[in-house]
Amino acid sequence: MKQRILALALLVPLVLLEGCATSRSEVRLASPPPAAARAPDAKAPAVLIRSVKDERVFEQAPDEPSTPSLGFEGAAQATADIKARAIGRKRNSFGKALGDVLLQEGQTVAGVVRENLAAALTAAGYRVADEKTADPNALVVDVRIRKFWSWIQPGFWAITVAADIATDVDVTGASGPTSISAHVEDGRQIVTEGAWLETLGKALQAWRQDAEKKLPAPPH
């Protein structure tokens, strides 16, 4: 009897994880909330986000689930578009890598980071300009994305959904890049598509807060 109960206990998380675990899901991350993306002051100092480069490295069969990888055709054969939209990898209750989690077409990791950086800079008191209208004296920012990934860690009683975001931000006049990052973990009983969105949403919020704290304050 005890063995049967144990078998069922092991089977339940497997079922909860595998409903669509072998498929490739597409989700859409929400834009920063209005409070984080309030309308900029026309007299605020200008900042130009000149570039955002996705420099994540995908591996074919990494030992750690926190390392980006892809199913189906695999990382080696995946297109640039797939890699630009990949944000996570599904796993079963034994930790075996299965299907992928991608952003919907039209949304990329680089675009999400740019949007959230713009929100953080606005909240800090800057006016974010584009290249056509930027003031020649605008602060110029370049971003390199090192990590932007979500993964699951199966456990006996619960499943942990984790997310890492790590970026290097170069700012005009700075002696070197500023590291802006965030790490979030959520305990779950069931991992749905909403779980990926919620965990990454929390990570982006923490990343914006880190950006506001570390990037130069606007001159007065």
Side-chain angles (χ1 to χ4, degrees), residues 165-183:
I165 301 175
T167 55
D168 289 328
V169 179
D170 290 298
V171 180
T172 302
S175 59
T178 299
S179 177
I180 299 173
S181 61
H183 175 81

Side-chain angles (χ1 to χ4, degrees), residues 40-65:
D41 183 347
K43 296 181 180 180
V47 61
L48 170 66
I49 303 174
R50 180 168 57 185
S51 66
V52 180
K53 296 181 180 179
D54 186 348
E55 297 184 351
R56 296 175 299 161
V57 176
F58 288 79
E59 294 186 12
Q60 192 67 19
D63 294 329
E64 296 296 328

Side-chain angles (χ1 to χ4, degrees), residues 158-203:
I159 303 160
T160 299
V161 183
D164 269 342
I165 301 175
T167 55
D168 289 328
V169 179
D170 290 298
V171 180
T172 302
S175 59
T178 299
S179 177
I180 299 173
S181 61
H183 175 81
V184 168
E185 292 185 3
D186 272 339
R188 300 274 175 168
Q189 293 298 322
I190 303 175
V191 179
T192 62
E193 289 184 355
W196 301 99
L197 293 173
E198 186 174 343
T199 303
L200 275 169
K202 290 179 180 179

Side-chain angles (χ1 to χ4, degrees), residues 20 23-31 81-82 84-90 99-109 112 115 148-150 161 191-201 204:
C20 296
S23 66
R24 176 171 275 172
S25 296
E26 296 192 5
V27 298
R28 186 168 189 84
L29 284 167
S31 296
D81 173 69
I82 292 296
R85 296 191 288 128
I87 59 171
R89 185 83 183 271
K90 304 175 191 179
D100 308 316
V101 183
L102 309 180
L103 296 173
Q104 291 180 356
E105 289 189 16
Q107 192 174 49
T108 64
V109 167
V112 168
E115 183 180 33
F148 194 109
W149 196 248
S150 187
V161 183
V191 179
T192 62
E193 289 184 355
W196 301 99
L197 293 173
E198 186 174 343
T199 303
L200 275 169
L204 284 167

